[in-house]
Amino acid sequence: MGGNEWNDIGYDDKGLTGFEPLGLPNILYTFHSYEPKAFTNQGFVSEPCFQTTGLSFPFQHPMPTFVASVNCPTSPSGFNEGRFKYDNYDQDEGNGTHFGMATVEFIERRIQDAKDWSIRNGNLPIWCGEWGLHRHIPTIPDDGSIERFMSAMLDSFKTQAIDWCWWDFEGPFTIFDPVPD
């Protein structure tokens, strides 16, 4: 069972951290983690209004130049969701971190947020049902960033004793190129 916002770890009343446990036995609660999305989804269509390119892990603000997307047009009033997300990416400090920071500490804090939710609710069982990054993104520098990101996530899961599942086996987030059928 997971929270709203696509099972995100969440903030405030969103995702797992905003989810009210069901009070039933034998329920496994789940969350997904694709944070920091500026790194994991850079240039990918799942974030059509906010695209980044060329980010290494770790990175901190300032982020690279904003890349406008034709998939996210500016409204007649001048509002552009992508520009808004870019300009405000590091403004969410509700959990004690800057949302836009792609650091080991940021990842540790977010995984700790999920564990804290479990503890606050009587040590409910949780697992990360999805995490990963779009490995076919040609804009991720070939500088060990993917390996550093994976190590940070795996170390955080181990520290918090949270089981996990990489997304996905045979698609854009796959760890390896599977043998063709």
Side-chain angles (χ1 to χ4, degrees), residues 37-168:
K37 289 178 183 168
F39 175 73
T40 63
N41 284 1
Q42 56 185 299
F44 186 52
V45 294
S46 71
E47 290 289 331
C49 289
F50 177 45
Q51 304 220 347
T52 55
T53 61
L55 297 179
S56 293
F57 182 85
F59 79 86
Q60 293 189 358
H61 240 36
M63 293 192 333
T65 304
F66 173 73
V67 178
S69 170
V70 296
N71 297 321
C72 190
T74 300
S75 72
S77 68
F79 178 77
N80 180 282
E81 182 181 356
R83 182 81 228 188
F84 176 81
K85 288 181 178 181
Y86 177 86
D87 290 342
N88 294 283
Y89 197 67
D90 71 341
Q91 301 305 309
D92 188 346
E93 298 182 28
N95 69 340
T97 64
H98 292 284
F99 187 67
M101 301 303 167
T103 63
V104 171
E105 295 79 15
F106 172 78
I107 287 172
E108 289 171 345
R109 180 68 247 156
R110 295 303 289 140
I111 302 304
Q112 180 68 50
D113 288 343
K115 185 66 169 191
D116 290 348
W117 178 88
S118 168
I119 292 168
R120 275 194 316 275
N121 290 288
N123 288 314
L124 291 173
I126 60 172
W127 84 303
C128 181
E130 289 184 20
W131 73 279
L133 77 157
H134 196 288
R135 79 174 189 102
H136 298 293
I137 298 171
T139 63
I140 294 179
D142 187 15
D143 62 359
S145 288
I146 292 173
E147 293 82 359
R148 287 190 300 274
F149 166 74
M150 290 175 70
S151 291
M153 292 294 291
L154 292 170
D155 289 348
S156 294
F157 291 137
K158 184 176 182 180
T159 297
Q160 298 304 327
I162 296 174
D163 292 326
W164 55 269
C165 179
W166 177 275
W167 183 259
D168 61 340

